[in-house]
Amino acid sequence: MRSAPESADAPTHGVGPWSGEWPDDPRYDPELLAEGDRRNVVDEYRYWTMEAIVADLDAKRHPFHVAIENWQHDLNIGSIVRSANAFLAAEVHIIGKRRWNRRGAMVTDRYQHVRHHEDVDAFTAWARDAGLPVIAIDNVDGSVPVDRADLPEACVLLFGQEGPGLSPEALAAASTVVEITQYGSTRSINAASAAAVVMYEWCRRWA
Protein backbone atom coordinates (compact mmCIF):
# COMPACT_ATOMS: atom_id res chain seq x y z
CA MET A 1 0.00 0.00 0.00
CA ARG A 2 1.40 3.39 -0.95
CA SER A 3 0.70 6.98 -0.10
CA ALA A 4 -1.75 8.83 -2.32
CA PRO A 5 0.03 10.65 -5.17
CA GLU A 6 0.73 14.29 -4.56
CA SER A 7 -0.94 16.96 -6.68
CA ALA A 8 1.06 19.01 -9.14
CA ASP A 9 0.81 22.00 -6.79
CA ALA A 10 1.99 20.09 -3.72
CA PRO A 11 5.48 20.88 -2.35
CA THR A 12 8.19 18.42 -3.29
CA HIS A 13 9.58 16.38 -0.43
CA GLY A 14 11.86 13.40 -0.16
CA VAL A 15 14.31 12.17 -2.77
CA GLY A 16 14.32 11.34 -6.45
CA PRO A 17 15.23 8.06 -8.13
CA TRP A 18 18.21 6.16 -6.71
CA SER A 19 21.49 7.24 -8.29
CA GLY A 20 23.94 4.50 -9.18
CA GLU A 21 23.81 0.76 -8.64
CA TRP A 22 20.75 -0.37 -6.68
CA PRO A 23 21.34 -1.81 -3.19
CA ASP A 24 21.11 -5.59 -2.85
CA ASP A 25 18.82 -5.46 0.18
CA PRO A 26 15.27 -6.88 0.40
CA ARG A 27 14.16 -3.92 2.52
CA TYR A 28 14.35 -1.63 -0.50
CA ASP A 29 11.35 -1.17 -2.78
CA PRO A 30 12.25 -1.41 -6.50
CA GLU A 31 9.45 0.98 -7.46
CA LEU A 32 10.66 3.62 -5.02
CA LEU A 33 14.26 3.16 -6.16
CA ALA A 34 13.13 3.75 -9.73
CA GLU A 35 10.69 6.61 -9.16
CA GLY A 36 11.89 8.31 -5.97
CA ASP A 37 10.53 8.39 -2.44
CA ARG A 38 8.27 11.33 -1.51
CA ARG A 39 6.81 9.80 1.65
CA ASN A 40 6.81 11.46 5.06
CA VAL A 41 9.55 9.25 6.52
CA VAL A 42 12.93 9.95 8.08
CA ASP A 43 16.00 9.60 5.85
CA GLU A 44 16.92 6.27 7.45
CA TYR A 45 13.84 4.71 5.84
CA ARG A 46 14.12 6.25 2.37
CA TYR A 47 13.31 3.71 -0.35
CA TRP A 48 12.34 1.02 2.19
CA THR A 49 9.10 -0.90 1.78
CA MET A 50 6.35 -0.10 4.25
CA GLU A 51 6.60 -3.64 5.64
CA ALA A 52 10.32 -3.26 6.26
CA ILE A 53 9.80 0.05 8.06
CA VAL A 54 7.10 -1.42 10.33
CA ALA A 55 9.30 -4.43 11.13
CA ASP A 56 12.20 -2.16 12.09
CA LEU A 57 9.95 0.02 14.25
CA ASP A 58 8.50 -3.08 15.93
CA ALA A 59 11.99 -4.11 17.01
CA LYS A 60 12.47 -0.92 19.03
CA ARG A 61 9.05 0.40 20.04
CA HIS A 62 8.69 1.96 23.49
CA PRO A 63 6.61 0.13 26.12
CA PHE A 64 4.01 2.88 26.54
CA HIS A 65 0.64 2.74 24.78
CA VAL A 66 -1.74 5.56 23.88
CA ALA A 67 -5.53 5.33 24.21
CA ILE A 68 -8.13 7.82 22.96
CA GLU A 69 -11.86 7.98 23.55
CA ASN A 70 -13.80 8.37 20.30
CA TRP A 71 -17.45 9.14 20.97
CA GLN A 72 -17.80 12.26 18.80
CA HIS A 73 -15.50 11.48 15.85
CA ASP A 74 -12.88 13.84 17.26
CA LEU A 75 -10.63 15.34 14.57
CA ASN A 76 -7.70 15.32 17.02
CA ILE A 77 -7.36 11.54 16.88
CA GLY A 78 -5.39 11.58 13.63
CA SER A 79 -2.91 14.05 15.07
CA ILE A 80 -2.53 11.95 18.21
CA VAL A 81 -1.80 8.88 16.09
CA ARG A 82 0.84 10.89 14.23
CA SER A 83 2.49 11.90 17.52
CA ALA A 84 2.31 8.29 18.75
CA ASN A 85 4.27 7.29 15.67
CA ALA A 86 6.78 10.11 16.19
CA PHE A 87 7.39 9.07 19.82
CA LEU A 88 7.37 5.34 18.93
CA ALA A 89 4.44 4.22 21.07
CA ALA A 90 3.83 0.49 21.20
CA GLU A 91 0.22 0.78 20.08
CA VAL A 92 -2.70 3.19 19.79
CA HIS A 93 -6.09 2.19 21.20
CA ILE A 94 -9.31 3.74 19.90
CA ILE A 95 -12.17 3.45 22.42
CA GLY A 96 -15.73 3.84 21.16
CA LYS A 97 -16.56 4.47 17.52
CA ARG A 98 -14.51 2.36 15.15
CA ARG A 99 -14.31 5.01 12.43
CA TRP A 100 -11.96 7.92 13.06
CA ASN A 101 -10.70 10.81 10.94
CA ARG A 102 -7.33 9.76 9.52
CA ARG A 103 -6.50 13.03 7.82
CA GLY A 104 -4.45 14.36 10.73
CA ALA A 105 -2.41 11.15 10.85
CA MET A 106 -0.71 12.08 7.55
CA VAL A 107 -0.47 8.39 6.61
CA THR A 108 1.51 7.55 9.78
CA ASP A 109 -1.24 5.11 10.82
CA ARG A 110 0.21 2.73 8.21
CA TYR A 111 3.32 2.42 10.38
CA GLN A 112 1.55 2.45 13.75
CA HIS A 113 -0.39 -0.44 15.30
CA VAL A 114 -3.96 0.66 16.05
CA ARG A 115 -6.41 -1.46 18.10
CA HIS A 116 -10.12 -0.83 18.61
CA HIS A 117 -12.15 -1.35 21.81
CA GLU A 118 -15.94 -1.12 21.81
CA ASP A 119 -16.13 0.68 25.15
CA VAL A 120 -14.19 1.60 28.29
CA ASP A 121 -14.93 -1.76 29.92
CA ALA A 122 -13.40 -3.65 27.00
CA PHE A 123 -10.35 -1.39 27.01
CA THR A 124 -9.93 -1.72 30.77
CA ALA A 125 -10.12 -5.51 30.53
CA TRP A 126 -7.39 -5.47 27.89
CA ALA A 127 -5.13 -3.22 29.99
CA ARG A 128 -5.67 -5.41 33.06
CA ASP A 129 -4.79 -8.57 31.14
CA ALA A 130 -1.70 -6.84 29.72
CA GLY A 131 -0.62 -5.75 33.20
CA LEU A 132 -0.52 -2.09 32.19
CA PRO A 133 -1.62 0.73 34.51
CA VAL A 134 -3.89 3.32 32.92
CA ILE A 135 -2.69 6.91 33.32
CA ALA A 136 -5.49 9.36 32.49
CA ILE A 137 -4.70 12.88 31.32
CA ASP A 138 -7.31 15.50 32.26
CA ASN A 139 -7.40 18.71 34.31
CA VAL A 140 -9.96 17.60 36.86
CA ASP A 141 -9.92 18.01 40.64
CA GLY A 142 -7.20 15.85 42.16
CA SER A 143 -5.03 15.67 39.03
CA VAL A 144 -1.27 15.57 39.59
CA PRO A 145 0.93 17.87 37.44
CA VAL A 146 2.62 15.66 34.87
CA ASP A 147 6.11 16.93 35.71
CA ARG A 148 5.63 15.62 39.25
CA ALA A 149 3.51 12.56 38.45
CA ASP A 150 4.62 8.96 38.34
CA LEU A 151 4.72 7.80 34.71
CA PRO A 152 5.56 4.09 34.71
CA GLU A 153 7.80 2.80 31.94
CA ALA A 154 5.11 0.36 30.82
CA CYS A 155 1.69 2.02 30.89
CA VAL A 156 -1.23 3.32 28.85
CA LEU A 157 -1.65 7.07 28.47
CA LEU A 158 -5.39 7.71 28.18
CA PHE A 159 -6.73 10.86 26.52
CA GLY A 160 -10.24 12.22 26.16
CA GLN A 161 -11.93 14.27 23.49
CA GLU A 162 -11.66 17.92 22.66
CA GLY A 163 -14.10 19.80 24.88
CA PRO A 164 -15.61 17.24 27.26
CA GLY A 165 -12.32 15.52 28.09
CA LEU A 166 -12.41 12.02 29.55
CA SER A 167 -15.69 10.31 30.35
CA PRO A 168 -16.47 9.48 34.01
CA GLU A 169 -16.02 5.79 33.17
CA ALA A 170 -12.55 6.41 31.78
CA LEU A 171 -11.49 8.47 34.79
CA ALA A 172 -12.74 5.74 37.12
CA ALA A 173 -10.67 3.15 35.24
CA ALA A 174 -7.41 5.06 35.69
CA SER A 175 -4.90 4.39 38.43
CA THR A 176 -3.68 8.00 38.24
CA VAL A 177 -4.95 11.23 36.68
CA VAL A 178 -2.37 13.78 35.58
CA GLU A 179 -2.63 17.25 34.10
CA ILE A 180 -0.39 19.65 32.20
CA THR A 181 0.54 22.80 34.08
CA GLN A 182 -0.62 25.93 32.23
CA TYR A 183 0.17 29.58 32.77
CA GLY A 184 -2.31 31.56 30.67
CA SER A 185 -6.03 32.28 30.78
CA THR A 186 -7.33 29.28 28.84
CA ARG A 187 -8.74 26.42 30.88
CA SER A 188 -7.34 23.70 28.62
CA ILE A 189 -5.12 23.10 25.63
CA ASN A 190 -5.89 21.22 22.43
CA ALA A 191 -6.26 17.46 22.95
CA ALA A 192 -3.64 16.61 20.32
CA SER A 193 -1.20 19.11 21.83
CA ALA A 194 -1.76 17.68 25.30
CA ALA A 195 -1.06 14.17 24.02
CA ALA A 196 2.20 15.28 22.41
CA VAL A 197 3.34 17.00 25.62
CA VAL A 198 2.72 13.91 27.76
CA MET A 199 4.31 11.52 25.26
CA TYR A 200 7.38 13.75 25.13
CA GLU A 201 7.53 13.79 28.93
CA TRP A 202 7.44 9.98 28.96
CA CYS A 203 10.27 9.89 26.40
CA ARG A 204 12.29 12.46 28.34
CA ARG A 205 12.25 10.11 31.33
CA TRP A 206 12.54 6.71 29.72
CA ALA A 207 13.78 6.86 26.11
Side-chain angles (χ1 to χ4, degrees), residues 123-199:
F123 162 72
T124 302
W126 172 86
R128 186 187 313 113
D129 290 345
L132 294 173
V134 176
I135 311 299
I137 291 81
D138 207 345
N139 56 348
V140 296
D141 290 342
S143 296
V144 180
V146 67
D147 55 307
R148 300 199 298 271
D150 179 27
L151 292 181
E153 183 175 13
C155 65
V156 188
L157 304 173
L158 174 59
F159 300 92
Q161 298 186 118
E162 188 72 21
L166 285 166
S167 67
E169 295 81 8
L171 289 169
S175 59
T176 306
V177 183
V178 305
E179 65 180 0
I180 299 169
T181 303
Q182 299 171 203
Y183 304 95
S185 62
T186 183
R187 182 184 178 278
S188 63
I189 61 176
N190 172 268
S193 299
V197 168
V198 177
M199 281 186 255

Side-chain angles (χ1 to χ4, degrees), residues 26-95:
R27 295 175 298 183
Y28 286 84
D29 185 322
E31 186 174 337
L32 293 173
L33 291 171
E35 299 180 2
D37 188 352
R38 307 298 183 187
R39 299 172 300 174
N40 180 21
V41 298
V42 296
D43 289 345
E44 177 186 357
Y45 294 137
R46 287 295 177 202
Y47 304 108
W48 284 29
T49 67
M50 183 179 69
E51 293 77 13
I53 295 173
V54 172
D56 194 66
L57 293 174
D58 285 348
K60 55 189 180 184
R61 290 190 192 276
H62 294 139
F64 78 90
H65 294 240
V66 174
I68 317 149
E69 288 196 287
N70 182 32
W71 310 116
Q72 301 175 355
H73 205 59
D74 192 343
L75 297 178
N76 285 278
I77 291 178
S79 296
I80 293 174
V81 171
R82 183 179 182 182
S83 293
N85 171 271
F87 294 116
L88 205 56
E91 196 168 21
V92 173
H93 302 262
I94 308 294
I95 305 169

Side-chain angles (χ1 to χ4, degrees), residues 6-20:
E6 298 181 11
S7 69
D9 296 329
T12 300
H13 300 292
V15 291
W18 184 277
S19 178

